[in-house]
Amino acid sequence: MRLSVCLALLAATLRPQSYDFAEADRILTTAQQELNVPISITLTQSGRTVFQKTYGITTVNQPYAIASASKWLSAAVVMSVVDEGRLSLDDKISQYLPYFTGDKANMTIRQAFSHTAGFPAESALSGETPCLNDRTTTLDACARAIAQIPLTSAPGTQFAYGSLSIQVTGRVLEGATGRPFAQLFRERLANPLGLTSTLAALPGRDANPLVAGGYASSNADYTRFLTMILNRGVFEGRRVLSAASVIEMQKDQTGGATIFSSPYQFFETLRPGVGQTRYGIGEWLERTEAGSAREVGSQGAFAFSPWVDLDRNLTGVVALQDRLQNFEPYYFPFREAIRRAVPVANLTSRGVVNAASFAMGPLVPGELITLFGSNLGPPSLVQAPSISLPLELAGTKVLLDGVAVPILYTSAGQVTALVPRQTLGKTSLQVEVEYLSQKSGSVVLPVEDAAPGIFAGIADRGVAVLWGTGAPLDHRGLQVTIGGRPAPVLYAGPAPGLVEGVFQLNASIPPGSDSTSEVVVRYGNIASPPVRLLN
């Protein structure tokens, strides 16, 4: 296959930026003076602090009760157990807690952590379920008490924001791992992220932590957590969550359920439409475009306010202790001021995808990646003249950790480049594009051994021939299914005559499958998006 055919398939700075935060600063100054509470703010972009200030307080390490901002942390603990394969979001609660029977038998972990399990919209603040605030009991005893509470809707049909189903999920994690929830938090998040002031429960009284709202944390600690989220699961070179788990948390998990009860319904006069905000796993999808989350967050009832802006590669934490309804008249204008001060990045983490599948995920040594953005290259597409790829093309460079890498084609909105094999062994890479000496801004993305995607495949006399990218460097361990049936691999390796980064797989089409069946390439538990063979 010639280079032009491969191209047809494919077509299917280190310093912190300086921004004017004067307007945002004035809003928080006014909030601190009128509410008479200490406030701190930290904004980071691509892991670098671009704005940090304290108001009536001397340190960003001051711990606060963060209320529902706890849900985001607990969700990460859930996803760490999912990453281990110990449970699935679609597992039924009753698989782990057999006392969930009757109309509760079929509720899933996904529903439990997206407030669609069917329980009433009840929080620990209401006091209606005493065990939520009882630190002397156990999660098991509390889950058993919650199992006796009647549902207000069938699981999956209504969104009712509350604590009950999330508390139950904490007990599910204990059953799945054999460890107390508070210990899981320390092992899975606090220790890897170096959180020094964040607690899931009181020391010595952690048998029944309030999973949905009982944490204490600080501005500095929560910023470290958000940096990991922005980097798709990697923090300071250490993987904490899989990229797939971080991406899953940011998807709408409510399944179209009617929004019956949301705390944001009280703020419609401040921001029309906010009451219809949807929810992922432990986080609000604060702004979406075309069904994709662009800003996510997890405000607490005491006004602690963390968020990630995926269009600006930005994390933000406003730390204070007050009633949320008192702070929101300042918070919504403050967030708008930040959007005005920080332009949308030319390159974002969601704009770096597998060149074959266009799926988000980790970077893979030897993978072709496509970068979407603005002002990345010349107005019209320019492609490499041969399969020997240049390090600069039409004034465009793609830099990984500051080093130029081979480019296949470039244009203003789309560039495809090769992740060099030499990046094997790294856990993350800083990605940026330079065009005519102007840099796009950077994102930091995790590195994994494989994340396969398929450009295309053909059926030829009982054999499926596939071309893709994102395979492990030695191509061992790749498996193929066609129509859900295993397809024996006859050849796995570089694609003859094509650019580096494209692999070829030849697999026998199994009996009962044909060229109309879906084809999936797997590496371990990582699967490519399905494609259909061409005849």
Side-chain angles (χ1 to χ4, degrees):
M1 188 179 294
R2 297 184 346 195
L3 175 63
S4 59
V5 177
C6 182
L7 287 170
L9 294 173
L10 287 169
T13 165
L14 298 180
R15 292 177 300 175
Q17 294 290 320
S18 178
Y19 303 111
D20 182 1
F21 291 113
E23 181 185 6
D25 181 39
R26 284 194 297 271
I27 293 171
L28 289 187
T29 298
T30 301
Q32 192 276 323
Q33 293 171 347
E34 295 182 352
L35 298 178
N36 194 29
V37 294
I39 299 175
S40 66
I41 169 67
T42 298
L43 295 177
T44 74
Q45 188 175 52
S46 299
R48 294 174 175 82
T49 301
V50 292
F51 180 47
Q52 185 174 78
K53 188 171 180 179
T54 59
Y55 305 79
I57 188 175
T58 59
T59 174
V60 292
N61 293 308
Q62 171 68 43
Y64 293 97
I66 65 173
S68 283
S70 305
K71 292 179 175 66
W72 210 347
L73 301 175
S74 291
V77 178
V78 172
M79 298 312 295
S80 75
V81 181
V82 171
D83 282 341
E84 284 189 349
R86 291 176 181 260
L87 55 77
S88 162
L89 289 177
D90 294 315
D91 285 349
K92 296 175 181 178
I93 298 290
S94 57
Q95 291 177 231
Y96 304 90
L97 309 180
Y99 44 83
F100 273 69
T101 59
D103 56 356
K104 302 180 184 71
N106 291 322
M107 66 174 57
T108 66
I109 295 170
R110 188 186 304 276
Q111 293 166 344
F113 242 88
S114 60
H115 306 285
T116 60
F119 280 111
E122 183 178 329
S123 73
L125 297 177
S126 71
E128 295 177 33
T129 304
C131 75
L132 291 177
N133 292 309
D134 186 354
R135 302 283 79 84
T136 65
T137 188
T138 65
L139 260 179
D140 181 57
C142 192
R144 289 178 184 274
I146 293 170
Q148 302 306 310
I149 297 174
L151 298 183
T152 56
S153 63
T157 61
Q158 283 190 348
F159 176 90
Y161 188 80
S163 300
L164 298 178
S165 61
I166 289 179
Q167 190 74 0
V168 166
T169 306
R171 176 55 187 160
V172 169
L173 294 188
E174 291 187 335
T177 64
R179 287 180 170 84
F181 182 85
Q183 180 181 345
L184 283 174
F185 167 74
R186 291 191 293 269
E187 293 174 350
R188 307 305 178 88
L189 282 189
N191 293 341
L193 294 176
L195 307 184
T196 59
S197 58
T198 303
L199 297 172
L202 296 174
R205 302 181 66 190
D206 60 2
N208 182 41
L210 181 56
V211 180
Y215 289 74
S217 190
S218 66
N219 188 316
D221 269 13
Y222 215 103
T223 294
R224 295 169 79 87
F225 170 74
L226 295 185
T227 300
M228 180 272 291
I229 294 295
L230 183 65
N231 294 348
R232 292 190 195 163
V234 170
F235 181 76
E236 293 185 347
R238 180 172 183 174
R239 174 158 297 288
V240 180
L241 292 178
S242 71
S245 282
V246 174
I247 293 167
E248 189 67 26
M249 291 166 69
Q250 297 168 356
K251 294 179 181 178
D252 182 358
Q253 302 291 345
T254 61
T258 302
I259 296 181
F260 175 74
S261 177
S262 164
Y264 284 132
Q265 290 171 329
F266 297 101
F267 305 118
E268 282 285 337
T269 57
L270 296 174
R271 184 183 169 195
V274 71
Q276 294 300 306
T277 303
R278 291 286 168 170
Y279 205 79
I281 300 293
E283 59 196 86
W284 293 98
L285 312 186
E286 295 182 342
R287 186 171 62 85
T288 61
E289 290 183 10
S292 175
R294 313 311 307 157
E295 296 178 31
V296 292
S298 188
Q299 279 191 291
F302 305 139
F304 191 92
S305 302
W307 80 96
V308 173
D309 187 329
L310 297 164
D311 279 344
R312 293 169 173 81
N313 304 322
L314 196 73
T315 75
V317 178
V318 181
L320 71 157
Q321 197 90 80
D322 204 326
R323 299 173 67 189
L324 184 63
Q325 53 265 47
N326 292 341
F327 183 57
E328 293 298 63
Y330 306 95
Y331 182 67
F332 288 130
F334 167 78
R335 289 288 299 277
E336 289 297 333
I338 295 300
R339 294 184 188 105
R340 286 190 288 270
V342 182
V344 171
N346 291 350
L347 178 68
T348 71
S349 63
R350 285 181 173 257
V352 183
V353 298
N354 179 288
S357 63
F358 286 176
M360 291 186 297
L363 303 177
V364 176
E367 175 190 26
L368 289 169
I369 56 172
T370 295
L371 304 94
F372 292 98
S374 59
N375 300 317
L376 303 180
S380 299
L381 184 141
V382 176
Q383 66 185 48
S386 70
I387 63 172
S388 180
L389 304 182
L391 299 180
E392 181 174 351
L393 183 63
T396 300
K397 294 180 182 179
V398 175
L399 306 174
L400 301 184
D401 281 355
V403 178
V405 301
I407 300 178
L408 182 57
Y409 66 75
T410 180
S411 66
Q414 186 172 333
V415 178
T416 287
L418 176 70
V419 180
R421 297 174 180 271
Q422 290 81 356
T423 58
L424 184 67
K426 293 197 173 187
T427 56
S428 63
L429 288 167
Q430 186 175 45
V431 185
E432 57 189 336
V433 178
E434 180 181 305
Y435 176 58
L436 300 180
S437 301
Q438 296 295 313
K439 292 187 177 180
S440 63
S442 65
V443 294
V444 178
L445 295 175
V447 177
E448 295 286 3
D449 292 341
I454 306 172
F455 290 115
I458 61 172
D460 183 14
R461 291 172 292 182
V463 174
V465 183
L466 309 170
W467 294 273
T469 193
L473 294 184
D474 61 8
H475 299 95
R476 291 183 296 183
L478 287 175
Q479 299 176 320
V480 180
T481 59
I482 301 177
R485 298 176 175 87
V489 174
L490 306 174
Y491 170 79
L498 300 187
V499 295
E500 184 181 355
V502 179
F503 68 78
Q504 180 175 323
L505 281 176
N506 297 351
S508 297
I509 299 176
S513 300
D514 57 33
S515 61
T516 65
S517 301
E518 287 190 336
V519 181
V520 174
V521 175
R522 297 180 183 276
Y523 180 76
N525 62 356
I526 303 172
S528 70
V531 300
R532 296 188 186 277
L533 298 174
L534 304 174
N535 290 308

